[in-house]
Amino acid sequence: MAWKFRVSLLGWVAIAIAGGILLGQILPAGIARLFVTFNSLFGNFLSFSIPLIILGLVAPAIGELEKGAGRLLVITTLIAYGSTIFSGFLAYFSGSAVFPYILTENVELAVLENPEDFMLTPYFTVVMPPLMGIMTSLLLAFVIGLGLSSIKGTTLQACFADFRDIVMKLIGSVIVPLLPLHIFGIFLNITVSGQVVVIILMFMKVIVFIFALHIALLLLQFMIAGAVAKKHPFATLKNMLPAYLTALGTQSSAATIPVTLRQVLKNGVRENIAVFTVPLCATIHLSGSTMKIVACAMAVMFMAGESVTLSQYGGFILMLGITMVAAPGVPGGAIMAALGLLGSMLGFNETLQALMIALYIAMDSFGTACNVTGDGAIAMVVDRIAK
């Protein structure tokens, strides 16, 4: 019997990082610049694609929220959005308190902010201007999505559903498969510049910090849900562990829905409420993913020696909560949906975005598991409100 061995996206990213570090020690600069050239082309294509990704995902997602809806849908959506926003601000304030002590600002890390001053340059570049700016695409997506939710016609909704399928195909078949090669080129270039050891050590600190923050978030969610639903918070959280472990393996909230639904029913949520809230929250509730993106973005900015302020991150978190609704259900999909905001609101360049992708994917399973487990807490609250 032939064995089929399939490497996950996390595995490919780990291979890319290790390969970039090792080969960066021995590859001649001429060969390394080939990968740098690919990075330039891929980065420009990514910049071209981001407005299309935002428009193709956000508009139909908003348009479908009100289809066949009612008061309970509005309540569930607001609770999910509030949970997502809360996790983002929790990550901000926790990171502000901890990062200054575990992440040392190093002037040598200016390579992250101005890579052209320190690292290899591509042999050539191809300009790929996007069709519109990031904020323009977001505003257009909001206008179209809200319009679709308020009209009776279905023709335009169907068109945007097809457009979403095209964008999902672009992400799943082109962008995500090429991400490891892009990350390989970034770490290859960083190794050539002599900064890789400092960056890897900081990566490990950030991963441990965010994992601890995920546990704290789940405890908070179930303590609040337990108080509202008048149920034991730790017993209900324990019941959700099978969903948590399943999500660790699948890296997909959608694929974990059957297990999540079963465990939510074990927590005493009525079946008609469970079958409504669990699939909906699998799409719109991404508290763990939002927490990861905010914390990773703060860490990368600390590493680059940039200032991190509440006025800067407050708007970013509020917009991120909306954008996360449209995150595609593929590994690394949430960070792809957030790249536009990282560039437009936080000023992340190609190198900083690549580091964000690597950091995020390194913890993708834990973020998805946090999302799924938190869905159980929301189901308990909605069940209590519906009574």
Side-chain angles (χ1 to χ4, degrees):
M1 182 176 67
W3 291 91
K4 293 184 179 180
F5 180 72
R6 183 174 180 178
V7 181
S8 66
L9 179 60
L10 174 59
W12 281 118
V13 170
I15 293 171
I17 293 174
I21 294 171
L22 294 175
L23 294 179
Q25 312 285 339
I26 58 176
L27 278 183
I31 296 179
R33 286 183 66 191
L34 292 175
F35 293 99
V36 176
T37 303
F38 166 79
N39 276 11
S40 173
L41 296 174
F42 183 81
N44 288 341
F45 178 72
L46 199 58
S47 298
F48 166 80
S49 303
I50 286 173
L52 301 180
I53 292 174
I54 291 174
L55 182 61
L57 296 179
V58 175
I62 295 176
E64 290 172 356
L65 280 181
E66 294 292 337
K67 297 296 182 181
R71 188 168 61 94
L72 201 58
L73 172 60
V74 176
I75 292 173
T76 306
T77 303
L78 290 176
I79 293 174
Y81 180 73
S83 175
T84 301
I85 295 305
F86 173 80
S87 69
F89 281 104
L90 177 62
Y92 171 80
F93 288 112
S94 301
S96 298
V98 174
F99 283 162
Y101 297 98
I102 66 173
L103 301 179
T104 56
E105 294 184 9
N106 192 324
V107 293
E108 294 179 0
L109 290 181
V111 64
L112 299 176
E113 189 175 4
N114 302 298
E116 65 278 0
D117 297 336
F118 299 88
M119 299 197 290
L120 299 176
T121 57
Y123 283 114
F124 63 90
T125 59
V126 177
V127 179
M128 305 178 194
L131 296 177
M132 65 188 81
I134 300 299
M135 291 308 299
T136 301
S137 62
L138 273 171
L139 291 173
L140 183 59
F142 293 157
V143 171
I144 293 177
L146 292 172
L148 291 175
S149 69
S150 62
I151 63 175
K152 296 181 180 180
T154 59
T155 302
L156 191 57
Q157 179 73 55
C159 291
F160 270 90
D162 290 343
F163 184 39
R164 175 177 55 195
D165 292 341
I166 294 173
V167 169
M168 293 280 284
K169 192 74 172 178
L170 173 67
I171 294 173
S173 301
V174 179
I175 294 178
V176 170
L178 290 178
L179 278 179
L181 185 58
H182 183 54
I183 292 171
F184 168 80
I186 291 293
F187 275 86
L188 179 70
N189 213 347
I190 291 176
T191 302
V192 172
S193 72
Q195 309 300 320
V196 69
V197 175
V198 178
I199 293 173
I200 291 298
L201 290 176
M202 290 185 175
F203 264 39
M204 297 306 299
K205 294 178 182 179
V206 173
I207 290 173
V208 172
F209 168 77
I210 294 179
F211 177 74
L213 209 56
H214 276 160
I215 301 302
L217 175 64
L218 289 176
L219 290 174
L220 279 171
Q221 286 177 334
F222 276 85
M223 288 176 67
I224 295 172
V228 173
K230 301 187 184 306
K231 296 180 180 179
H232 195 287
F234 300 113
T236 52
L237 177 57
K238 181 181 177 181
N239 284 340
M240 292 302 300
L241 286 180
Y244 183 93
L245 296 174
T246 303
L248 284 179
T250 63
Q251 294 183 291
S252 169
S253 298
T256 315
I257 285 176
V259 180
T260 308
L261 183 60
R262 184 187 65 193
Q263 301 310 120
V264 165
L265 292 173
K266 283 187 177 181
N267 278 339
V269 176
R270 290 172 296 170
E271 184 175 359
N272 63 328
I273 300 297
V275 298
F276 168 77
T277 55
V278 170
L280 177 62
C281 288
T283 304
I284 66 174
H285 180 231
L286 289 95
S287 56
S289 298
T290 299
M291 174 175 281
K292 278 193 307 178
I293 291 173
V294 173
C296 289
M298 292 177 65
V300 169
M301 292 184 73
F302 269 108
M303 291 163 64
E306 298 182 6
S307 60
V308 175
T309 63
L310 179 59
S311 60
Q312 181 184 33
Y313 267 81
F316 173 72
I317 292 170
L318 294 175
M319 292 296 293
L320 187 62
I322 298 174
T323 305
M324 286 294 95
V325 173
V330 296
I335 188 63
M336 296 308 304
L339 283 181
L341 293 179
L342 289 169
S344 62
M345 301 188 73
L346 299 183
F348 275 41
N349 59 25
E350 177 187 330
T351 308
L352 296 180
Q353 288 179 352
L355 287 174
M356 272 291 300
I357 293 170
L359 259 176
Y360 182 91
I361 292 177
M363 299 171 287
D364 195 26
S365 295
F366 294 104
T368 302
C370 184
N371 295 338
V372 165
T373 308
D375 294 347
I378 292 181
M380 291 165 55
V381 173
V382 172
D383 185 51
R384 178 66 180 179
I385 293 174
K387 288 181 180 179

